[in-house]
Each structure stands twice: as structure tokens, then as C-alpha cells.
Amino acid sequence: MVTLGFLATIAVGTILLSLPIATEGARATFVEALFTATSATCVTGLVVTDTAVFWSGFGEAVIAVLIQIGGLGVMTLASLLGILLTRRLDLSSRLVAAASTRSVGLGDVRGVLTRVIKIAVVVEGICAVILVARFAITYDMPWGTALWQGAFHAISAYNNAGFSLFSDSLMGFVGDPWVSLPISFAVIVGGIGLPVIAEVARALRARRRPRRWSTHTRITLWMTAVLLVGSTLFFLAAEGDNTATMASLSPGDKILSAFTQAVMPRTAGFNSLDTSQMHHETWLGTIILMFIGAGSAGTAGGIKVTTFAVLGVVIWSELRGEPDANIFDRRIAPATQRQALTVALLGVAIIIVPTLWITATTPGISVAEILFEVTSAFTTTGLSTGITADLPWFNQLALVPLMFVGRLGPITLGAALALRSRQRLYRMPESAPIIG
């Protein structure tokens, strides 16, 4: 049901973006409409046209709606609509809503759905208000234009979509904290995930110490902090002397731009520096950050920080010869370890195969650029070295299922693995193949 819901949304979006009213000039081709609708619904941000120039106000509104639907989840909105119309959810709808929001208990599904909307409205509202005021007062935009720009970018930021109505994304605001920081804040909150946000809110009201928070919440928050600090330092070191990106900025602007760039590989897709002019080692570091992604049950993609942390703990425990993988005074269940390994290895395979195909069929574009683009599509990030529009139409179409699998695959796979766990009444004889 979740898969069909997203497919139906993409189909409707493709039809709407194919209409003459959706563009400023020539009518969008099928590939342009399908690619944009998929990128918006899967909150990716990759584009084959200049969003600010190619699409009309109607087209931009369609993209914003698709982003909101894709970020919150098709089944989340469908379930809320069902509650409004019938004031109840049947068992099958509760099961699907629980799976799509990663809420295992059925009793709190309605409360979870309500919190999803409340958090989205609050975060997007705060971000939009700051952006509207900044655009209107500092950049002399008409208030109507500023209102649309602020609302669009707030929706795009919270849902980790990365679509921008500026042709150069956030490069024109590289030194403006009143634009970069609100957008970064919305990206971080959207990427952390509802379970963490809800638990932290309850813990703060109950004045419960962080040591008593759940393992999932502690892993997510710790990994988020470590990745943000580490990647900020990484961008400062890698791009600080690059005359095409950061070298000419003041020390304060360098720190701000490095932090903004550190936030965006969490699968947001905005860029305040020219990605195409970055060093190759910066591309490699960004690819790793995109692959890791952000928190589970949020609007971000990637394999998720919890998956990455679990794999790290398992490796460290194996190297030390410990029988169990422990973190924060808790033992990680063997089923969780298998799930993390499965999601990570499938992610690697899904990235490698299209990279080989596009490299073989698109001469003249480096492997590094293609790997960056494919990883960005699968992790629903949207950062680009600028080659998306230059790819042949059939390779642009090859990125479409990548974005779809990236938005649904890891989530659906993780839920399926967790809910399909079962006990057998027998065990096979043990064997120990040589490893390594």
C-alpha cells in the first residue's frame, strides 16, 4: 500500500507537471516531468531543469505539494484523511500507518500521526517566518514574493528535499546566517526523525536525564552531533584553500559555509558552495556522508546513522573478541545486527550497479561524478556535481527508480525484516567457513 501510494502520487505529479500551465516556456517533456515529480515526491532534490526558471508558479506549487506529501508520507496523510472523514481507522489502515511512521504499537497510531503534522507545521512555520522577514527586509523582495520563497524553502528544508527557487541554490547567501541557519535547523530536525523528537520532548517535560533515554534516541543524537562537528571540520580542511569555493571568504563565513555544507549531505541537497568546483577528496567525503544519511523515521535518506553506529559497534566488538555487541550499557540484539548488515550491503550493491551502467553508457563524464550522482539519487540527497541535466535521457530515467528505492527501500526493508522475524522449532547444524 505504501509503495502504490507513492507510485500514484508520482503519476499524478507527472501529469500535472506535463501541463502547459506548469512551465514558463516550452512544455515539459515526459522525462522532465517524471524525473521532477519523482525527485520531489521522494524528497531528493536532483533536477534536470532550472527550477527557478523553467517552472511557472503553478509548477512550483505542484513541486511543493509533492515534497510535503513525500516527506510526511503518503500513508500518513491518507490515514489522517481517514480519521477526519470517518473518525476512526480500521485494523489494516492502522497496520500500514504504523509501518510507514515506524510506530510498532497500534494503540498510539493516531497520536503519532497527529504529532507528525504538528511537528512539521511548527518547524516549517518557524523557518518560514525567519526567511520571509529576511528576504523582504534585507533583500528588498516584495512581501508576496518573500512569502512564497520563505514557505517553499521551509517546506523543502524540513522535508530534506533540497529544491530551491534560486538558480544557484544557497550560494547567494553563503555568508548570511539568517538564511543558512534556519534552513539548516529545519534540515536537522526533519532528519532526526519523529521517534527521537517525541521522546526528547517527553523527557524534557518529565525532566528525565539523557542516561534514561532509549538507546535509539541516544545513538541518533550522539551520531548526529559527531557527524555535524566532524564534517564541519572536514569541509574547512578540505575546501579552506580552494579559490573556487571557500578561500576568498572571511573566517566567519568559512565556518558558516562549512557548517551548512556539513548539514546538507544528511540528504537535504541545498548547497552554499559550488559543489562542481570542490576537490575530489571533498566529493568522496560527501559521498560517505550521503550514504550514512540521518535518523530513522525522518525525512532523510541513506542507510541511517543508527545502522552505521550498529555496524561500527559490531566491528569493534569483533576486533576485541567480545561475545556481545554493547552500546550505552545495552546489548544489541542479533536480529538488529543482521538488519543493519543487510541494509548496508544492499545499499552498496544498489549504488554500484547503476554506477557501472552509467559509466559504460556515458563517455566523457568521470566515474567520480557519476558515483556522486548515483549516491545522491539513492540516498535522496539531491546534491549534484552538475551532470544530471547532461546525462542521456535513458540514464536520467535510470536515476528515477534509484530515487524511489532510496525513499522507500531502506524503510520498507527495515520494517519488513523487523516484523517478519519469527522463531523456528529447530536449528541447523553449525558450520564455520573461513572468514578473511
Side-chain angles (χ1 to χ4, degrees):
M1 289 179 66
V2 174
T3 303
L4 291 175
F6 270 89
L7 286 174
T9 303
I10 291 172
V12 173
T14 301
I15 294 172
L16 292 177
L17 293 177
S18 298
L19 298 175
I21 193 177
T23 58
E24 291 287 0
R27 187 172 181 174
T29 65
F30 172 74
V31 173
E32 290 170 339
L34 174 63
F35 191 98
T36 304
T38 305
S39 184
T41 305
C42 298
V43 291
T44 304
L46 286 176
V47 294
V48 291
T49 60
D50 187 339
T51 306
V53 176
F54 185 79
W55 302 106
S56 65
F58 174 81
E60 292 171 359
V62 170
I63 292 172
V65 172
L66 292 176
I67 291 171
Q68 191 72 79
I69 293 174
L72 295 180
V74 175
M75 297 314 302
T76 299
L77 296 178
S79 299
L80 283 170
L81 182 61
I83 291 175
L84 292 174
L85 294 178
T86 66
R87 298 188 179 277
R88 67 181 180 84
L89 283 178
D90 58 27
L91 181 58
S92 61
S93 298
R94 288 160 67 92
L95 286 168
V96 175
S100 63
T101 58
R102 300 303 297 273
S103 172
V104 178
L106 296 181
D108 63 342
V109 168
R110 183 167 181 165
V112 169
L113 296 175
T114 304
R115 286 196 295 271
V116 167
I117 300 299
K118 286 182 178 179
I119 293 172
V121 170
V122 170
V123 176
E124 291 175 3
I126 293 173
C127 182
V129 167
I130 297 174
L131 293 179
V132 170
R134 189 64 172 176
F135 290 151
I137 297 173
T138 304
Y139 296 96
D140 296 324
M141 287 186 186
W143 279 99
T145 303
L147 181 62
W148 174 235
Q149 292 278 4
F152 185 95
H153 286 88
I155 292 172
S156 183
Y158 175 74
N159 292 288
N160 280 214
F163 277 87
S164 176
L165 297 184
F166 301 108
S167 297
D168 59 356
S169 191
L170 301 183
M171 290 172 59
F173 309 99
V174 62
D176 190 340
W178 290 99
V179 174
S180 297
L181 292 183
I183 289 178
S184 297
F185 164 76
V187 169
I188 293 171
V189 175
I192 284 177
L194 173 67
V196 175
I197 297 173
E199 181 175 351
V200 171
R202 289 194 303 267
L204 292 177
R205 287 196 299 266
R207 297 182 180 180
R208 192 165 66 246
R209 295 181 180 180
R211 289 181 61 87
R212 299 180 60 189
W213 295 357
S214 71
T215 303
H216 171 77
T217 294
R218 295 168 70 182
I219 290 176
T220 302
L221 293 179
W222 269 107
M223 285 298 299
T224 298
V226 169
L227 287 175
L228 283 177
V229 173
S231 51
T232 299
L233 296 176
F234 166 75
F235 280 106
L236 279 173
E239 292 297 315
D241 62 346
N242 188 345
T243 55
T245 57
M246 197 183 289
S248 61
L249 300 177
S250 66
D253 289 350
K254 283 185 177 181
I255 295 174
L256 176 62
S257 63
F259 175 76
T260 304
Q261 288 301 130
V263 171
M264 298 313 163
R266 299 175 57 78
T267 76
F270 295 104
N271 61 286
S272 60
L273 299 174
D274 190 347
T275 307
S276 65
Q277 299 300 315
M278 290 180 176
H279 296 311
H280 282 199
E281 60 266 29
T282 310
W283 284 355
L284 179 58
T286 304
I287 288 171
I288 295 172
L289 290 171
M290 290 191 295
F291 186 74
I292 296 172
S296 298
T299 56
I303 65 171
K304 305 297 189 293
V305 292
T306 45
T307 304
F308 183 75
V310 167
L311 291 176
V313 170
V314 169
I315 293 172
W316 180 243
S317 299
E318 186 64 27
L319 291 176
R320 297 182 62 183
E322 296 181 356
D324 298 316
N326 303 318
I327 186 170
F328 295 130
D329 300 323
R330 292 291 185 272
R331 184 178 69 255
I332 299 176
T336 301
Q337 298 178 35
R338 294 195 302 270
Q339 292 167 22
L341 182 63
T342 302
V343 169
L345 290 182
L346 279 178
V348 172
I350 292 172
I351 288 174
I352 288 177
V353 174
T355 300
L356 291 173
W357 164 258
I358 296 176
T359 301
T361 57
T362 314
I365 300 180
S366 69
V367 177
E369 292 173 302
I370 293 173
L371 177 61
F372 191 102
E373 214 76 7
V374 169
T375 305
S376 180
F378 170 68
T379 59
T380 67
T381 302
L383 289 172
S384 175
T385 58
I387 67 169
T388 312
D390 298 328
L391 292 174
W393 66 268
F394 54 86
N395 280 334
Q396 291 176 350
L397 287 179
L399 295 179
V400 169
L402 272 179
M403 293 186 287
F404 187 79
V405 172
R407 179 65 180 94
L408 295 182
I411 298 175
T412 305
L413 175 64
L417 289 173
L419 297 178
R420 288 178 62 87
S421 298
R422 59 188 184 273
Q423 291 185 345
R424 295 183 183 272
L425 300 180
Y426 62 90
R427 299 178 73 183
M428 296 295 182
E430 186 176 282
S431 181
I434 299 174
I435 302 297

